[in-house]
Amino acid sequence: MPAVETIEHDIVIVGTGIAGLRAAIEIKRKYGDKLDVGLLSKIHIMRSHSVSAEGGTAAVLYPEEGDSFALHAWDTIKGSDFLADQDAVWLFVKLMPEEIRLLEHWGLPWSRRPDGRIAQRPFGGHSHPRATFAADKTGFFEMQTLYNKLLEYDNWERYDEWFVTNIVVEDGAYKGLYAINMRDGKLYYFKSKAAIIAAGGGGRLYNFTTYAHTVTGDGYAMAFRAGIPIKDPEFIQFHPTGLVPSGILITEGARGEGGYLINNKGERFMLRKECAPTKGELAPRDIVSRCEMREILEGRGFVDEVSGLGYVKLDLTHLGEEKINERLPAVREIAIRYAGVDPVEEPIPVRPVAHYTMGGIHTDIYYRVLDETGRWIRGLFAAGEVAASSVHGANRLGSNSTAECLTSGRITGILAAEYALRQREAPTASPERHAREEEWVWGLLKRESGTPAYEIRRKLRNAMGEYFYVFRDGDGMKTALSIIKELRRKAREEMYVEDKSKIYNTDLQAALETLNLLDAALAAVSAGLNRTESRGAHYRLDYPKRDDENWLKHTLVLRSGEDDVRITYWPVAITTWKPVERKY
Amino acid sequence: MVKKSTVQIWLQYVTAILLIFLLTWHLLVRVPWLRGVETFKDTLASEKVYHEVSSYGILLLIFAYVALLHGFNGLRTILLEWTSGKYNGLITGTIIILFIIFGALATYTVIGITPP
Amino acid sequence: MSEGTGKVLPNRPGWLASVNPWVLRVVNNPERLAFVLHRLTGLLMALIIMAHIFVTGTPARVGWEAWAEEIAKAQGITVVTLYFFFFAGIAWYHGLNGIRLLLVEFFGTCIGKPEKPKPPYLAPSLKACQRKLLYTVYILWAILWILTGYIVFMG
Amino acid sequence: MTFDPEAATRTPPKKVIFRVKRYNPETGKTWWDEYEVETYRGMTVLDALLKIKEEIDHTIVMRYSCRMGVCGSCGMIINGMPRLACQTQVAEVATEANPVITIEPLKNHPVLRDLVTDFTAFFEKHRSVKPYTIRKDKEELETGDMEYLMSPEEHKELYEYTLCIACGLCYSACPVAASDERFLGPQALTYVWRYVSDPRDEAWQERLEAVDVEGGPFSCHYAASCSAVCPKMVDPGAAIQRLRSALIKYRLGLYKKKKVAKKATRPAEQVKPKKPLPPEAQPVPGANIEAMEREPPTIPVEQLIA
Ligand SMILES: Cc1cc2nc3c(=O)[nH]c(=O)nc-3n(C[C@H](O)[C@H](O)[C@H](O)COP(=O)(O)OP(=O)(O)OC[C@H]3O[C@@H](n4cnc5c(N)ncnc54)[C@H](O)[C@@H]3O)c2cc1C
Ligand code: HEM
Ligand code: SF4
Ligand code: F3S
Ligand code: FES
């Protein structure tokens, strides 16, 4: 096996979604050539999953027209079922407006109002139309603009298609990371003064998900393995409108523009008393998803012949062709291409779909990665979906996520740069660590037969879809946990990589991703089983009530031994508003 | 360096516009009815041709030069594209030499013509 | 980083792609055929013009006898009539399509207006007036060529 | 891109044979492999390839990510035409009479392995056209106080050209790019036009000058294959013609940029009254919400990294 070569940069950024790119730009535009940055991504850097985001990005752009920071903060906190850290939310809402306008300056074609200013639309859980959008390709345009803007600067290196395997944390500080260059099949050690982890979510824990195939929870798993606590991983958002049968997202913007959800009797079930009589379809996602799931489970839905999935319908026909073409062109295209349904003429088949992981690497409100005692792991930052500073608490509001990617990217960019400027020497990992890493990665290639990763992955996804979906209960989660543990054993002892070549060995990559998924699943299900209440996206049939007395706190999940976890807690910062019952 | 646009505008497009008229004329003079003869071949009879060259010689020459510029620049562009510009000098040089040779030949044809 | 990345396959079809419209089977793309024909006819004419200048120089270079011998001597179809027939065919196409190209490339018109995507998701330029012109070019070309044949072979 | 609206509702042939062109960079060998795949209604070519990778041959390599046609990873030549695998229904390209689908790597991009091609040169070309807003006043550009004004009509003019996902299909289809390595290609040239026509950009002159080289818009001969294969309806063919014609006008002294956008101004007073917080929002003792709203956001850098 080839020896580990070292590559050195001042700052390394893992993941180039909106968060990673925004961080890189902040460093470059503020510090120019003084710092040299390495950008790592397991796919071409501008193809990161963020391109899929559709609906919008929340920001208070027009205080003169009724909106206010306080209102945005309140909506976010209420949406989070009061698990959000309120100081983090305030910082977030205040940084946002400038982000939107900077992106506009850099070339983003935001949709416009007739007066030439940036248009905004209503979004679920927001009490003012503040989702800034560019048709329904918001995330795509944000990625494109950030990527293009980055090309203006020098003294940064792109590492397209480099798969990061592990980050090194020794003596409570960050000490570099390892990555495989898919193109030559060698393992490299990246040495840097600071690192920003922006590796995105873990949506591919599920079969039916809005996520790209490449979103496999790598960030969580790397942190988990490095002994960093994972905060609130039990909160996984299910979006109400995943297109049946592929799971591709039909943006919330569709409901924001006035779409209805209907069951097989043609009723708008969201207006029922037990759902959300005032907000209806525009209630937060957890509530809509649960109502939908009930319709399906109680036989008021439809069933897809090919996949066997139950669904309800999203009706846009009353919006008219012109509005759909103007505001929701991608929804129309997606529905036609992937379901053969033209939303101008027919309602679209949808069902709840795994969409976002609220939890993530434990950070403070400035996105510094913390250990379980709250000490900063020096040199390490996390941004974007992978970080949990906790702006989103137990349930994220639509359009707050790309927004958080932007603000967290900006904050970590500044902090990482300032930190790196003050460091003389980049720390190095111990040589034994190199050897361990090589063994961990190349060991997978040694086995000559066994179970392919794909089979393990499939079983894991089936288990997650069965027992850790919109509705959960203790027994189900216990079953899921035992399946996960069994699969972990299997992966360790039997997983086999058929492809032995060096160049673009995606078979090996799939095996490594499967290991990551198993780590992420272990953390999520353990935390879910542990939290004996229902809050936000975590809804337990055996504990259907929110329990502020015992559970108004964040879970921190730490690794303990091969297949076990240790759970501790972290207080919620309640600086502005008292938790109250959440009704829409 | 001459700008790419200058070459293309003047040698390809403006010549093309001129060629629309010149080429149409050049083809139409072979239409027998327009020349008061019986057949196509009659338009190529020596007297007819002499008359054509002696009275419209300048136009013919202009046509030749414009067509050569347009055609050879087109040829050059194609060759440069096929070779990714690796033999730029060689190709352009050859084309210029060809242009001079055939330009001279055309000029001699018009100037040096005598009645049959 | 080049070592260890293995051999890279260049994978460019080269000049073939611009003389063979079937290197790719792109659907709904008659413009590509038009381009290939324009290129072939242009190339041929650029070659022919050299021969043409050489041959039409006969009276001045050699004398009228040689010219008359070449042209008027034989009856029926000769090299000259065939030559003219094919040259005219080539020129008609190149000229007609050239006018379309001038509109599109030089004046930047006839390629539609930018629009927002809507079904059937067809790029505006592919349904703009250049497309209609293209069909007109093909039709006119056929007519003119047939007419030329009629004139040339008539006598 | 051709579009078959009924494809997703049709059932493709029960079994489809995929002929995939393989390439092993370690041995330099190229060969074709055939796989028989059981299909279902709604199956895309990418789904089928993933099925092959998971169940039949783990060594086959291709790029993919979003599976919804926005990331631009999965371009390949399917039945002779460059397409996005994730956007192509099996039912669209395979028929009962001919249930065979051939798959090759994108042409004009060097092949690294199987269906994976090298985009380095393609990205370099994209970078070389400076795909970002340039303003004379750099300071103003980097201050996010107010947005530049842009009417919906101006937005519509350039919207189409901003849809590019950098999938490289157009470059793969272009007969000029097939031989001329210098050709910037439809994608990069579209970007030039996108910024020349963007009212927020002031560097049109610089951009037009920079692109006036061998490999610029004059290398395009309007084969329009780019527009015919582009999966996002970007219409690069038209963009290049507009660019070329603008460049011609510019050289003849006739080109003038339509308009350069100015920043919006904030109205002096409330246009609509401020929305109150709902009554359920009960502040904790000591919280002064109005003061919190007014305070600018701060990041105590020194303290944080000490
Ligand atoms: C379909 C869909 C629609 C959405 N719509 C909206 C919306 O309308 N509004 C909104 O606010 N939010 C939306 N979201 C959520 C939002 O898009 C995501 O939360 C956000 O894009 C995450 O961005 P990120 O930068 O954190 O990570 P990502 O964009 O996921 O990027 C992750 C990066 O990490 C890299 N990476 C991962 N693992 C590794 C590894 N092991 N080695 C190297 N690199 C690695 C990847 O290559 C990639 O570059 C949507 C999400 C989905 C799925
Ligand atoms: C009516 C007369 C003509 C018109 C309108 C015309 C028009 C054009 C135009 C617009 C182009 C540029 C095409 C492009 O950029 O793709 C062109 C190219 C060309 N023309 Fe002509 N042309 C005419 C006559 C001729 C003649 C008489 C010749 C030969 C002597 C000729 C040879 C060429 C060649 C070789 C090219 C290059 C083709 C290519 O690059 O593909 N043309 N013509
Ligand atoms: S212009 Fe179209 S085909 Fe070309 S790279 Fe962009 S999206 Fe792909
Ligand atoms: S295919 Fe090529 S030739 Fe021009 S119109 Fe498109 S770039
Ligand atoms: S997988 Fe993203 S475009 Fe096809």
Side-chain angles (χ1 to χ4, degrees):
Chain A
M1 286 298 130
V4 180
E5 280 175 45
T6 303
I7 296 175
E8 196 175 336
H9 286 288
D10 289 327
I11 301 172
V12 166
I13 300 178
V14 180
T16 55
I18 295 174
L21 288 178
R22 182 66 185 87
I25 287 177
E26 194 62 20
I27 298 170
K28 285 286 128 192
R29 88 191 179 103
K30 289 257 168 72
Y31 305 91
D33 286 349
K34 266 188 278 178
L35 288 165
D36 113 71
V37 181
L39 283 171
L40 286 137
S41 166
K42 66 177 176 182
I43 45 182
H44 285 151
I45 66 176
M46 75 297 230
R47 312 216 189 281
S48 303
H49 162 73
S50 291
V51 290
S52 300
E54 297 175 1
T57 297
V60 179
L61 289 188
Y62 299 111
E64 67 271 19
E65 290 173 21
D67 204 3
S68 70
F69 288 138
L71 204 57
H72 189 187
W74 164 255
D75 288 339
T76 306
I77 291 163
K78 183 180 174 197
S80 80
D81 224 347
F82 297 92
L83 196 67
D85 285 336
Q86 303 189 354
D87 46 356
V89 174
W90 274 100
L91 181 63
F92 156 73
V93 297
K94 285 194 182 162
L95 285 174
M96 258 331 282
E98 194 183 347
E99 292 301 312
I100 299 287
R101 295 190 171 118
L102 278 176
L103 283 171
E104 193 273 343
H105 292 0
W106 299 338
L108 202 153
W110 292 118
S111 291
R112 298 289 172 148
R113 312 198 297 198
D115 66 357
R117 301 194 63 186
I118 298 173
Q120 293 190 305
R121 66 158 65 123
F123 233 66
H126 289 283
S127 44
H128 189 88
R130 67 168 79 88
T132 322
F133 63 101
D136 51 359
K137 293 166 176 279
T138 309
F140 164 71
F141 282 121
E142 285 171 343
M143 277 298 289
Q144 182 194 58
T145 308
L146 291 170
Y147 170 68
N148 286 339
K149 177 72 180 170
L150 189 59
L151 298 179
E152 183 176 342
Y153 303 105
D154 297 322
N155 204 17
W156 59 278
E157 190 74 51
R158 57 194 283 174
Y159 296 94
D160 294 84
E161 301 183 310
W162 287 56
F163 185 83
V164 178
T165 55
N166 268 312
I167 42 181
V168 188
V169 174
E170 284 172 351
D171 319 320
Y174 160 76
K175 295 275 171 74
L177 51 85
Y178 295 97
I180 307 174
N181 178 359
M182 295 308 288
R183 196 150 167 191
D184 67 7
K186 285 195 221 150
L187 186 65
Y188 292 82
Y189 170 65
F190 280 77
K191 197 173 136 175
S192 68
K193 294 171 184 165
I196 300 170
I197 310 295
R204 280 283 155 182
L205 281 168
Y206 293 86
N207 268 328
F208 192 68
T209 174
T210 57
Y211 272 85
H213 285 290
T214 46
V215 182
T216 50
D218 301 358
Y220 307 126
M222 283 186 257
F224 189 60
R225 283 195 295 269
I228 297 167
I230 305 296
K231 192 196 273 172
D232 295 336
E234 64 270 38
F235 297 106
I236 294 176
Q237 178 167 79
F238 293 89
H239 192 289
T241 52
L243 183 69
V244 175
S246 60
I248 294 174
L249 181 76
I250 300 299
T251 170
E252 190 161 309
R255 281 169 290 136
E257 298 293 349
Y260 304 144
L261 287 167
I262 51 176
N263 62 15
N264 65 9
K265 299 203 179 70
E267 300 161 341
R268 279 182 71 189
F269 55 85
M270 279 313 297
L271 296 181
R272 285 213 201 108
K273 188 160 88 277
E274 62 278 18
C275 287
T278 42
K279 287 233 161 171
E281 280 83 1
L282 282 176
R285 292 173 177 173
D286 55 334
I287 294 176
V288 184
S289 286
R290 280 197 288 276
C291 287
E292 251 177 39
M293 208 58 204
R294 264 193 211 105
E295 295 300 302
I296 294 168
L297 293 176
E298 289 166 14
R300 289 190 296 275
F302 307 81
V303 179
D304 182 53
E305 291 159 39
V306 178
S307 60
L309 293 172
Y311 62 87
V312 295
K313 285 185 173 173
L314 172 66
D315 191 356
L316 301 178
T317 50
H318 55 284
L319 298 183
E321 182 168 353
E322 199 171 319
K323 185 154 182 190
I324 292 178
N325 284 341
E326 177 70 25
R327 297 293 184 93
L328 303 164
V331 165
R332 187 168 184 200
E333 189 180 338
I334 286 168
I336 298 179
R337 276 195 204 277
Y338 298 99
V341 171
D342 186 346
V344 171
E345 281 149 24
E346 273 176 86
I348 312 171
V350 294
R351 77 181 250 114
V353 58
H355 183 64
Y356 189 80
T357 25
M358 267 72 74
I361 299 179
H362 178 36
T363 71
D364 63 7
I365 72 168
Y366 302 106
Y367 298 90
R368 299 184 306 164
V369 177
L370 304 181
D371 69 8
E372 79 184 283
T373 62
R375 259 204 334 259
W376 178 35
I377 296 176
R378 290 186 74 79
L380 196 59
F381 303 88
E385 188 169 345
V386 76
S389 79
S390 191
V391 167
H392 307 306
N395 174 55
R396 164 179 78 97
L397 287 192
S399 78
N400 263 354
S401 151
T402 45
E404 193 206 3
C405 288
L406 290 166
T407 58
S408 62
R410 170 161 170 197
I411 296 171
T412 51
I414 297 173
L415 291 179
E418 292 286 348
Y419 180 75
L421 282 175
R422 285 171 178 68
Q423 277 350 84
R424 215 171 304 129
E425 190 73 46
T428 18
S430 47
E432 310 90 76
R433 186 71 184 79
H434 285 4
R436 240 187 13 210
E437 191 64 21
E438 281 187 279
E439 175 52 34
W440 194 72
V441 173
W442 305 126
L444 285 168
L445 288 180
K446 287 196 190 122
R447 221 166 276 137
E448 285 302 325
S449 67
T451 320
Y454 313 102
E455 200 183 309
I456 298 176
R457 201 169 76 178
R458 187 160 52 237
K459 285 187 180 146
L460 172 69
R461 287 173 183 168
N462 288 343
M464 294 295 284
E466 175 96 28
Y467 303 112
F468 207 63
Y469 210 58
V470 178
F471 296 120
R472 301 158 180 184
D473 64 43
D475 292 340
M477 286 189 278
K478 277 192 198 120
T479 319
L481 206 54
S482 65
I483 295 176
I484 291 169
K485 288 188 179 168
E486 167 59 16
L487 290 173
R488 287 174 70 87
R489 188 200 55 75
K490 223 174 177 165
R492 258 198 315 277
E493 291 165 11
E494 293 170 22
M495 191 159 61
Y496 147 70
V497 175
E498 185 189 324
D499 192 345
K500 307 286 181 206
S501 76
K502 289 217 179 60
I503 298 163
Y504 281 100
N505 190 341
T506 50
D507 202 19
L508 174 66
Q509 186 178 338
L512 289 166
E513 285 173 353
T514 305
L515 292 175
N516 288 339
L517 282 174
L518 287 166
D519 280 339
L522 179 68
V525 178
S526 310
L529 189 57
N530 184 57
R531 184 177 280 272
T532 50
E533 64 154 352
S534 287
R535 181 187 295 274
H538 179 61
Y539 191 88
R540 287 185 65 151
L541 294 168
D542 44 357
Y543 296 94
K545 286 254 147 37
R546 195 172 90 190
D547 177 2
D548 283 346
E549 196 109 333
N550 297 309
W551 287 107
L552 190 57
K553 58 187 178 188
H554 299 293
T555 322
L556 295 185
V557 186
L558 282 133
R559 189 173 177 209
S560 150
E562 275 298 355
D563 288 337
D564 266 309
V565 299
R566 190 156 55 79
I567 292 178
T568 62
Y569 302 98
W570 189 258
V572 178
I574 298 190
T575 55
T576 320
W577 289 291
K578 290 187 215 145
V580 292
E581 201 199 341
R582 186 162 157 257
K583 270 209 283 277
Y584 287 93
Chain B
M1 263 296 282
V2 192
K3 294 210 171 61
K4 175 81 179 170
S5 57
T6 318
V7 176
Q8 289 296 308
I9 293 171
W10 299 110
L11 295 194
Q12 209 69 37
Y13 295 114
V14 174
T15 52
I17 295 171
L18 294 175
L19 279 173
I20 297 175
F21 304 103
L22 293 169
L23 186 66
T24 313
W25 166 68
H26 195 63
L27 289 172
L28 286 183
V29 290
R30 298 275 86 81
V31 179
W33 314 306
L34 299 182
R35 307 288 302 282
V37 290
E38 286 288 301
T39 64
F40 159 70
K41 275 228 178 114
D42 295 341
T43 66
L44 289 168
S46 301
E47 312 78 55
K48 287 275 175 205
V49 173
Y50 176 71
H51 177 252
E52 203 179 313
V53 175
S54 53
S55 25
Y56 305 103
I58 293 295
L59 213 51
L60 268 178
L61 250 189
I62 291 175
F63 175 48
Y65 276 109
V66 172
L68 279 173
L69 282 174
H70 177 94
F72 280 2
N73 184 51
L75 186 61
R76 189 184 69 103
T77 315
I78 295 174
L79 292 176
L80 288 189
E81 263 169 39
W82 286 356
T83 56
S84 281
K86 282 190 204 88
Y87 308 102
N88 197 334
L90 183 71
I91 291 169
T92 309
T94 315
I95 294 284
I96 291 176
I97 291 170
L98 280 179
F99 176 74
I100 293 171
I101 293 175
F102 285 95
L105 201 56
T107 317
Y108 175 73
T109 306
V110 173
I111 295 173
I113 202 140
T114 49
Chain C
M1 267 180 284
S2 58
E3 39 49 82
T5 54
K7 288 183 214 116
V8 174
L9 205 66
N11 200 29
R12 279 185 205 263
W15 60 272
L16 207 72
S18 63
V19 293
N20 178 354
W22 293 283
V23 165
L24 283 177
R25 268 170 291 154
V26 181
V27 182
N28 187 22
N29 189 204
E31 291 83 1
R32 192 185 182 104
L33 178 66
F35 154 71
V36 169
L37 285 176
H38 195 82
R39 177 154 273 195
L40 285 176
T41 51
L43 256 176
L44 279 174
M45 281 202 295
L47 299 179
I48 289 172
I49 196 172
M50 294 189 259
H52 189 75
I53 288 180
F54 188 78
V55 172
T56 49
T58 316
R61 274 186 300 115
V62 189
W64 284 106
E65 296 73 36
W67 175 260
E69 213 168 293
E70 193 68 35
I71 301 295
K73 187 185 59 191
Q75 291 294 305
I77 298 166
T78 62
V79 180
V80 175
T81 44
L82 278 178
Y83 160 76
F84 186 81
F85 175 67
F86 283 108
F87 174 76
I90 289 169
W92 286 134
Y93 175 78
H94 191 95
L96 287 169
N97 191 49
I99 295 173
R100 171 180 150 271
L101 283 179
L102 276 171
L103 285 174
V104 169
E105 296 183 350
F106 189 73
F107 296 103
T109 57
C110 233
I111 38 172
K113 278 208 170 60
E115 61 181 54
K116 299 206 164 164
K118 57 173 180 284
Y121 304 113
L122 195 60
S125 75
L126 297 183
K127 55 192 174 198
C129 83
Q130 65 83 16
R131 181 56 82 75
K132 284 160 209 132
L133 262 180
L134 179 56
Y135 294 134
T136 319
V137 165
Y138 286 138
I139 293 167
L140 271 182
W141 179 33
I143 295 175
L144 283 174
W145 205 357
I146 292 169
L147 218 71
T148 313
Y150 173 71
I151 292 170
V152 172
F153 299 121
M154 198 172 56
Chain D
M1 177 69 73
T2 54
F3 178 67
D4 180 354
E6 255 82 62
T9 57
R10 276 204 307 270
T11 313
K14 223 178 159 71
K15 288 204 169 115
V16 170
I17 299 182
F18 281 80
R19 292 194 70 226
V20 183
K21 195 170 186 181
R22 308 285 305 269
Y23 172 68
N24 182 341
E26 277 153 16
T27 57
K29 223 174 76 186
T30 303
W31 73 100
W32 289 85
D33 264 340
E34 284 193 11
Y35 307 96
E36 195 181 76
V37 179
E38 268 192 48
T39 62
Y40 50 85
R41 199 183 67 207
M43 188 189 222
T44 63
V45 172
L46 180 66
D47 292 335
L49 285 172
L50 285 172
K51 196 164 166 170
I52 294 172
K53 176 144 183 96
E54 288 179 10
E55 291 167 16
I56 308 175
D57 183 351
H58 304 319
T59 64
I60 185 171
V61 178
M62 64 273 181
R63 282 199 185 103
Y64 57 90
S65 178
C66 70
R67 62 86 172 81
M68 54 190 274
V70 288
C71 73
S73 303
C74 64
M76 46 190 80
I77 296 185
I78 299 172
N79 279 357
M81 164 143 163
R83 291 168 179 268
L84 292 182
C86 68
Q87 225 184 49
T88 308
Q89 292 280 338
V90 171
E92 206 173 330
V93 281
T95 55
E96 288 293 347
N98 184 20
V100 180
I101 297 178
T102 59
I103 300 198
E104 297 162 71
L106 285 181
K107 285 186 172 44
N108 303 352
H109 302 271
V111 184
L112 296 173
R113 178 177 171 186
D114 294 354
L115 302 173
V116 175
T117 49
D118 186 1
F119 269 63
T120 320
F122 182 74
F123 292 155
E124 265 317 306
K125 285 175 177 165
H126 173 74
R127 185 173 188 175
S128 74
V129 303
K130 305 197 173 169
Y132 36 82
T133 319
I134 300 174
R135 299 279 294 192
K136 290 195 189 101
D137 189 345
K138 184 94 182 146
E139 187 70 31
E140 184 201 57
L141 183 74
E142 297 295 335
T143 321
D145 52 349
M146 284 310 258
E147 65 267 34
Y148 292 113
L149 286 170
M150 189 199 244
S151 68
E153 293 71 43
E154 288 161 343
H155 179 262
K156 193 174 166 192
E157 281 279 300
L158 98 188
Y159 178 73
E160 194 185 66
Y161 304 126
T162 61
L163 288 168
C164 171
I165 58 174
C167 61
L169 295 193
C170 52
Y171 191 79
S172 168
C174 178
V176 179
S179 58
D180 194 346
E181 286 161 24
R182 301 164 306 166
F183 186 37
L184 281 171
Q187 192 262 353
L189 288 172
T190 304
Y191 254 94
V192 180
W193 176 244
R194 180 226 176 288
Y195 278 98
V196 169
S197 64
D198 189 331
R200 293 167 296 185
D201 189 89
E202 284 184 313
W204 53 275
Q205 201 163 347
E206 197 183 304
R207 290 180 194 281
L208 289 175
E209 295 271 357
V211 85
D212 191 359
V213 289
E214 298 280 345
F218 287 104
S219 291
C220 163
H221 304 285
Y222 198 55
S225 299
C226 48
S227 295
V229 300
C230 176
K232 294 286 115 181
M233 219 189 113
V234 173
D235 206 355
I240 300 174
Q241 310 323 315
R242 297 209 160 86
L243 172 64
R244 168 178 5 217
S245 150
L247 179 50
I248 289 171
K249 286 202 191 98
Y250 171 67
R251 285 292 177 223
L252 301 176
L254 302 171
Y255 185 75
K256 186 94 191 71
K257 182 148 180 149
K258 267 193 206 148
K259 188 175 141 194
V260 176
K262 282 199 193 50
K263 277 200 177 177
T265 43
R266 194 185 291 282
E269 63 239 39
Q270 289 292 115
V271 179
K272 286 184 201 139
K274 198 168 144 182
K275 266 191 204 167
L277 284 172
E280 46 175 345
Q282 293 294 324
V284 294
N288 180 350
I289 292 170
E290 280 186 6
M292 288 172 99
E293 274 208 298
R294 272 196 310 272
E295 257 170 53
T298 43
I299 303 166
V301 175
E302 292 299 330
Q303 194 184 320
L304 288 168
I305 59 173

